[in-house]
Amino acid sequence: MSTIAGDICFDKVRKEYGRVTALEQLDLQVAAGKRLVLLGPSGCGKTTALRLIAGLERVTSGKLYLNGQLANDLEPGERNVAMVFQNYALYPHMTVWDNIAFGLQVRRVAKEEIKARIKAALAILGLEGLEERRPRELSGGQRQRVALARAIVKQAPYFLLDEPLSNLDAQLRTQARTELVRLHCKLNSTMIYVTHDQVEAMTIGQRIAILASGVLQQVDTPENIYNCPANTFVARFIGNPPMNLLPGIVKGNQLFLGEGLKLTVPGNWSAWILGKSPNKEIKVIMGLRPESVILKEEKIAEGECLPVKIIWRENCGKERLYYLAAGNKELIASFSESRAEPRGGELWLAINWNKVHFFNKEDGNSLGYPWNAQKLSLNAGVIP
Ligand code: ADP
Ligand code: MG
């Protein structure tokens, strides 16, 4: 079962509902056949973006292109979009077969063709044998698959999924997300997958676009989003437990973290950071992922470590978490199997400067990375 994919382009798209601005100046492109995940907290505008593509809402301003053609005024039926809604929206009185067939019958697809497409979809989604059941006779996972089947038989160039796994329990969700990626590889359509779950985003997306309050924060590969977050919002949203953020001031080669805590910043970093400011000092936020926190039992040299106290330990099975206090600042450190854990309650936190992030305190934007100026892309735009 395959289709001819098309590309999607938002060009300064704005969407208002009365006084609510759901999307601001959205510039986003998805190349044909690729898989983009739209990620962000509830209310950030994800569903709105999908509804605009499907033609269920009209843009307030800006341009939306489908397959290179301006689509602002196209009717939903002219857009060739298959969408799976968050609540599945199955017809309760129809059987599984009829639920899947309905859209095709409306489009007057030939009977034999409908049969062939449904059979293929049932096989791909493991729904064979359930054709005569009604939605209420299915489990949550099966209903979700029927909703997917109904979308894929359309063989549309655009496949939009709005939090399709949110009603499934955790185990089923993990399995279903792998299946979805495999399914997409078979379909060859352009897929936008909406979720508020960062793990789903990291595992499903070839690119991830992160939205906050209707504003696009970053578009990039999962790897770059994790390693080079564009700002403190992305830094905290991706990663669990989230990145530790410590505000401070860089003066010369010193980072002052308050309460007498200070660190000596290596030359490449201090030159890089101060190069971003016309002044001799700059207010920053230092970011440290929990897995990059180094703890030592003995003090190393002055300026190379911070005294920390362990407040609490948590055993999560695959990792252990340490809740730490450095002065009045709190941090989390995580230790997996392979990482040695220190003993004692009063320890020293040392820094691996290759794993540090710096953000500008003023606007929260990343100051970049001295060893790779290219890596940080606020908007990687077109998916290659
Ligand atoms: P998400 O899917 O990320 O949770 P939505 O796109 O549903 O976010 O909503 C974005 C914003 O637009 C929210 O503030 C929401 O309340 C508002 N909104 C969405 N749909 C409507 C509507 N039909 N009328 C008024 N406001 C809406
Ligand atoms: Mg939504």
Side-chain angles (χ1 to χ4, degrees):
M1 191 176 287
S2 102
T3 44
I4 297 160
D7 60 3
I8 300 170
C9 173
F10 287 88
D11 181 10
K12 297 192 179 54
V13 166
R14 187 178 175 83
K15 175 62 185 175
E16 294 167 2
Y17 299 103
R19 272 196 226 149
V20 178
T21 302
L23 288 174
E24 274 184 41
Q25 290 276 98
L26 179 62
D27 283 315
L28 179 65
Q29 299 176 38
V30 193
K34 298 293 178 179
R35 205 164 54 242
L36 176 90
V37 169
L38 208 49
L39 173 69
S42 181
C44 70
K46 305 181 297 294
T47 297
T48 298
L50 291 193
R51 292 178 64 84
L52 288 172
I53 298 169
L56 303 172
E57 300 287 348
R58 293 290 165 98
V59 307
T60 304
S61 64
K63 290 174 178 148
L64 173 71
Y65 296 92
L66 293 177
N67 210 9
Q69 293 193 315
L70 189 63
N72 287 26
D73 297 323
L74 290 183
E75 293 300 322
E78 298 172 306
R79 298 187 185 211
N80 243 328
V81 168
M83 183 158 166
V84 178
F85 296 90
Q86 187 166 1
N87 57 9
Y88 313 151
L90 299 177
Y91 305 112
H93 58 286
M94 288 188 194
T95 62
V96 166
W97 183 279
D98 290 338
N99 259 286
I100 303 172
F102 185 71
L104 300 180
Q105 289 160 349
V106 169
R107 287 156 180 248
R108 299 184 192 284
V109 177
K111 258 191 181 158
E112 283 309 305
E113 173 70 14
I114 293 180
K115 210 168 156 184
R117 287 195 201 177
I118 296 181
K119 286 208 154 159
L122 292 173
I124 288 174
L125 292 161
L127 287 168
E128 290 148 314
L130 302 178
E131 294 85 342
E132 294 309 318
R133 293 212 195 163
R134 307 207 186 249
R136 66 167 184 278
E137 298 162 329
L138 301 172
S139 70
Q142 289 166 335
R143 277 180 221 165
Q144 179 255 331
R145 286 182 209 196
V146 175
L148 281 170
R150 191 173 57 177
I152 67 176
V153 293
K154 284 172 104 176
Q155 300 192 349
Y158 309 100
F159 195 33
L160 311 180
L161 299 123
D162 195 357
E163 313 219 23
L165 309 184
S166 54
N167 295 336
L168 306 186
D169 63 49
Q171 215 165 0
L172 208 50
R173 214 158 56 209
T174 310
Q175 187 192 334
R177 77 179 183 229
T178 318
E179 283 173 10
L180 266 177
V181 171
R182 289 197 182 150
L183 175 64
H184 178 246
C185 294
K186 285 183 199 158
L187 290 181
N188 181 39
S189 53
T190 309
M191 177 162 141
I192 300 189
Y193 184 99
V194 159
T195 182
H196 64 269
D197 180 320
Q198 47 136 344
V199 178
E200 244 173 65
M202 293 292 281
T203 48
I204 290 175
Q206 291 172 309
R207 286 285 192 285
I208 301 175
I210 300 185
L211 278 174
S213 308
V215 180
L216 188 63
Q217 306 291 311
Q218 187 169 10
V219 188
D220 214 325
T221 59
E223 188 197 7
N224 279 351
I225 293 257
Y226 190 81
N227 293 323
C228 306
N231 56 39
T232 49
F233 179 86
V234 176
R236 293 280 294 180
F237 201 75
I238 297 276
N240 185 27
M243 186 186 284
N244 298 296
L245 296 181
L246 306 173
I249 299 177
V250 172
K251 288 183 199 170
N253 67 349
Q254 298 293 302
L255 168 64
F256 295 91
L257 293 162
E259 296 178 285
L261 297 176
K262 64 176 182 184
L263 288 166
T264 304
V265 184
N268 62 339
W269 260 123
S270 55
W272 175 265
I273 293 168
L274 291 169
K276 304 281 173 179
S277 165
N279 306 317
K280 290 206 176 69
E281 59 178 68
I282 177 170
K283 286 185 180 159
V284 298
I285 296 172
M286 179 166 79
L288 267 180
R289 293 228 177 257
E291 66 271 27
S292 323
V293 172
I294 300 169
L295 292 178
K296 305 235 175 232
E297 286 160 30
E298 306 288 332
K299 183 174 181 177
I300 12 174
E302 190 68 34
E304 289 184 17
C305 58
L306 302 170
V308 291
K309 287 198 178 88
I310 297 183
I311 310 168
W312 189 247
R313 288 175 213 242
E314 238 170 42
N315 188 340
C316 310
K318 74 176 163 60
E319 62 181 356
R320 272 142 338 264
L321 301 181
Y322 284 25
Y323 293 80
L324 309 167
N328 63 5
K329 297 178 168 66
E330 292 196 5
L331 301 103
I332 300 180
S334 72
F335 294 88
S336 58
E337 288 293 309
S338 55
R339 214 151 75 95
E341 280 177 76
R343 292 170 180 282
E346 304 211 353
L347 299 165
W348 296 89
L349 185 156
I351 307 290
N352 174 355
W353 292 96
N354 293 324
K355 296 281 185 183
V356 168
H357 303 257
F358 277 106
F359 304 94
N360 192 328
K361 177 110 191 292
E362 299 283 304
D363 54 14
N365 286 335
S366 171
L367 291 170
Y369 301 86
W371 55 86
N372 192 350
Q374 290 303 315
K375 233 181 174 180
L376 184 75
S377 49
L378 288 180
N379 190 344
V382 186
I383 296 173

